[in-house]
Amino acid sequence: MSEQRVLLVDDEEELRRSTAQALELFGLSVQTFSNADHVLELTGFGFDGVVVSDIRMPGTDGMTLLQKIRELDAEIPVILVTGHGDVQLAVKAMREGAYDFLEKPFTPQHLAGIIRRALDRRSLVMENRRLRAVAGKRDDVEARLPGRTQVMVDLRYRIRAIGAADADTLIIGETGAGKEVVARALHDISSRANRPFIAINCAALPENLIESELFGHEAGAFPGALRPRYGKFEHGRGGTILLDEIGSMPVDLQAKFLRVLQERVITRLGSNETVPLDVRFIATSKVDLEAEVAAGRFRADLFYRLNVATIHVPSLMQRRADIPLLFLQLVREAAARYGREDLDVPAEVISAIALRDWPGNVRELRNAADRLVLGLDPKPGETGGVVKDGVRDGQGRLADKVAAFERNLIAGEIAAHGGALRPVYESLGISRKTLYEKMQKYGLDKKLLGPEHMLQDDRDG
C-alpha cells in the first residue's frame, strides 16, 4: 500500500509552511499547494489520503474544490478551514460532504487528530474496495462504468487488464461516451494512482504556445519568457498524461511527440539538456485515426506507437439495454449533488428515456437526469406528487423508498427489454406470476407495454 498523504491547500504562504511543518512533526506526510489547480490531478479513486483546504482563496475556492473532488470520488475526506467564523458556511460544507470543518485559529494537535481519523476512514474505504474486487463484487471500475450488457462487461475486463500493465493506451469512442472516465479508471487502478493525472485537450492548446505548454521553456527562450517554466509533460512525471482528442494535434508537433513516446525524454525550449520523463501516456480520439493516417492528417508511425493497447468505448446505442438503469443511477447522483430528495421517476419517463436516441451519449443522458431532478423538464413534473399504492414521489418513509426503487427497477428492465417479460423476470430472479403481480401493483402494464409488446409477451408464455 502506498503512503497516505495529506494535501494541504492554502494561499497564505507563511501559514501553509508552518502548518505543514507542525503536521510533519506529528508523523504525517504533507504536500502543500498555494491554490487548488493541481490538487485534482492527484485525487481520484486511487488516492489514499486526505485533503485539507482553506475556504477563502482566489480562483478555485475550498467549496468548489470540495464539489470537484466529490465528483471524482465522494469518499475522499475533505477538511475545510476558514478564518471567518461563518457558521452558515460550515453547515453548508458539512451538508455538501465535507469530512470536517475547522475555524482559525486552531492548534496543530487538533488538526492532526482530525486528519488521523480521516486517514483511518480512507484506509477502511480503500480496503473494502479491494476486498470487493477480490470477491468479484461491484468494484470501482463498475461503479464508474456501470452496465449489464456484454460490451460493458468486456470494457471493464479490458480496463482491469490494461490498467495494471502500465502500457500506453489509445481510447476510441464517440463524444460523451466516457473516454476520460475510462482514462481516469486506468490511472486509478495502476501503480501510478497516487501521482498526477494531467489531462491535456489537444484541440484547445494555443497554437503559438503549444510547445512551451507541453515541453516547458528556459528563461529567454522567446520574447516574454522571463523565467523558466515546467511544461505539462514534466509536471506529470511519475503519473499519467491524458492527451484528449489527439487527432487534433498539429502534424509538425506529432513528430516531436513521437520522440517523447519512444525515448521518454523531453527538451525544454531554449535548452540543449534532455530531461528524463517517467509517465504513462493515454490518448483519446473520437475519429478513426486510421482514416486520418490515410488522409495524411496523422502520422502512421505515431498511430502504431500509440496503438500498443486500444480500448473501444461503446456508445449508448451499442448498449441500449443499459440506458434505463444508468439513467436511474444518474438521477440518484444528481439528487445527491443538488441536495434534493430521492426522486421516484415515473414509469412513462423511463420508457421514453429507453426508446430515445442519445447522440451525446452518457453526457447527454446525465444532462437529462439533472434537468429532471431540478424540475426543468415539464413532462416529468406533471406526475409529481401522484400517489400509487401508498407510494408518493419524494416521500421519505423507508417502505415507500423501497417500493419506489422496486417499481423503478422493474420499469427499467421492462423498457430495456422492449416489453418482453421473460428476460425481465429471469434477470430479476423472480417468477412470471410475481412479476405480473408487481406490475399490477405499480400500474406498469398499461404504461410500458403497447399492443405489440403484449403479443410478444403472449409468445413468452
Side-chain angles (χ1 to χ4, degrees):
M1 183 186 299
S2 58
E3 182 184 28
Q4 289 186 300
R5 287 182 298 161
V6 179
L7 306 185
L8 176 63
V9 193
D10 198 311
D11 59 317
E12 296 182 31
E13 183 178 357
E14 190 172 328
L15 181 60
R16 184 174 68 247
R17 186 186 301 115
S18 62
T19 302
Q21 290 173 348
L23 292 177
E24 286 170 351
L25 290 175
F26 284 99
L28 296 168
S29 175
V30 183
Q31 189 171 354
T32 62
F33 301 86
S34 59
N35 58 63
D37 293 344
H38 297 312
V39 175
L40 294 173
E41 297 164 359
L42 296 171
T43 53
F45 268 67
F47 173 63
D48 190 14
V50 169
V51 176
V52 180
S53 175
D54 192 15
I55 287 187
R56 307 284 185 179
M57 295 186 296
T60 302
D61 61 21
M63 296 295 288
T64 304
L65 177 62
L66 168 66
Q67 180 184 358
K68 291 183 176 181
I69 288 175
R70 286 183 60 77
E71 289 173 1
L72 293 172
D73 182 353
E75 294 184 287
I76 293 176
V78 178
I79 301 165
L80 294 177
V81 179
T82 183
H84 296 265
D86 193 333
V87 176
Q88 289 185 336
L89 193 60
V91 172
K92 186 173 186 289
M94 299 300 286
R95 187 187 300 125
E96 294 189 5
Y99 176 81
D100 210 334
F101 187 95
L102 203 59
E103 184 179 351
K104 298 176 183 176
F106 54 84
T107 65
Q109 186 174 3
H110 185 197
L111 177 58
I114 295 174
I115 290 173
R116 288 196 186 282
R117 291 191 293 274
L119 288 172
D120 288 342
R121 175 187 285 189
R122 186 61 177 170
S123 291
L124 184 60
V125 167
M126 300 297 282
E127 182 61 23
N128 285 339
R129 289 176 178 178
R130 282 187 284 269
L131 291 174
R132 285 200 302 271
V134 170
K137 296 182 180 179
R138 182 180 172 93
D139 62 1
D140 297 338
V141 176
E142 188 171 358
R144 282 187 275 183
L145 294 160
R148 301 178 181 179
T149 51
Q150 190 59 47
V151 289
M152 290 304 291
V153 173
D154 293 343
L155 173 64
R156 292 192 295 265
Y157 174 83
R158 195 160 180 79
I159 289 171
R160 293 182 186 107
I162 294 174
D166 203 39
D168 292 338
T169 306
L170 178 62
I171 303 173
I172 307 294
E174 294 180 6
T175 297
K179 298 186 294 294
E180 187 166 345
V181 176
V182 171
R184 189 87 201 204
L186 288 170
H187 171 76
D188 287 344
I189 64 175
S190 74
S191 59
R192 300 178 182 271
N194 259 349
R195 302 300 299 162
F197 177 86
I198 310 293
I200 302 170
N201 185 345
C202 295
L205 287 170
E207 196 167 328
N208 58 331
L209 294 174
I210 190 168
E211 287 190 53
S212 172
E213 284 288 314
L214 298 182
F215 299 102
H217 62 255
E218 298 292 347
F222 53 85
L226 302 179
R227 59 180 63 87
R229 180 180 182 274
Y230 278 180
K232 291 186 180 295
F233 286 168
E234 199 169 351
H235 180 66
R237 282 185 297 184
T240 300
I241 303 287
L242 169 62
L243 295 165
D244 194 23
E245 298 305 338
I246 194 170
S248 303
M249 183 178 284
V251 175
D252 57 341
L253 185 64
Q254 291 175 22
K256 297 179 180 179
F257 177 56
L258 177 62
R259 177 173 177 260
V260 174
L261 273 176
Q262 291 173 333
E263 301 179 17
R264 285 310 200 262
V265 296
I266 60 169
T267 304
R268 299 181 195 135
L269 292 180
S271 173
N272 294 320
E273 299 293 325
T274 58
V275 179
L277 194 64
D278 171 26
V279 298
R280 178 189 197 174
F281 284 104
I282 299 177
T284 71
S285 178
K286 63 184 176 186
V287 300
D288 182 354
L289 288 183
E290 287 191 85
E292 293 295 289
V293 169
R297 292 187 291 268
F298 200 81
R299 292 179 62 104
D301 47 4
L302 177 56
F303 170 69
Y304 293 120
R305 180 63 185 80
L306 276 173
N307 206 20
V308 175
T310 303
I311 294 178
H312 291 273
V313 184
S315 67
L316 276 186
M317 294 303 94
Q318 292 174 296
R319 56 183 187 115
R320 187 183 283 276
D322 286 332
I323 292 176
L325 294 183
L326 177 58
F327 181 71
L328 292 174
Q329 175 175 318
L330 293 173
V331 167
R332 289 193 297 273
E333 291 174 358
R337 191 163 61 249
Y338 296 119
R340 303 296 177 90
E341 292 288 335
D342 289 341
L343 183 67
D344 180 17
V345 183
E348 64 270 21
V349 173
I350 299 174
S351 181
I353 289 290
L355 297 175
R356 266 189 59 185
D357 290 336
W358 296 93
N361 292 292
V362 179
R363 185 178 300 150
E364 185 183 2
L365 189 66
R366 179 179 289 108
N367 291 341
D370 283 10
R371 288 196 301 272
L372 179 65
V373 169
L374 293 173
L376 302 178
D377 189 333
K379 184 177 178 182
E382 294 170 2
T383 62
V386 176
V387 178
K388 297 187 183 77
D389 299 295
V391 182
R392 181 184 295 273
D393 293 359
Q395 293 301 304
R397 289 197 308 121
L398 178 60
D400 292 349
K401 290 191 174 186
V402 170
F405 175 79
E406 183 177 64
R407 175 175 171 269
N408 288 340
L409 180 63
I410 294 172
E413 288 287 345
I414 293 173
H417 291 95
L421 298 188
R422 174 173 286 174
V424 174
Y425 59 70
E426 287 179 348
S427 65
L428 293 175
I430 59 178
S431 68
R432 185 173 67 173
K433 179 175 181 294
T434 300
L435 176 61
Y436 285 148
E437 289 173 348
K438 290 184 180 296
M439 287 173 60
Q440 185 175 13
K441 174 183 176 182
Y442 297 126
L444 297 179
D445 52 340
K446 294 179 181 178
K447 290 189 175 181
L448 289 178
L449 301 181
E452 71 277 14
H453 294 142
M454 294 301 289
L455 290 174
Q456 184 176 6
D457 181 49
D458 289 341
R459 291 194 296 270
D460 286 345

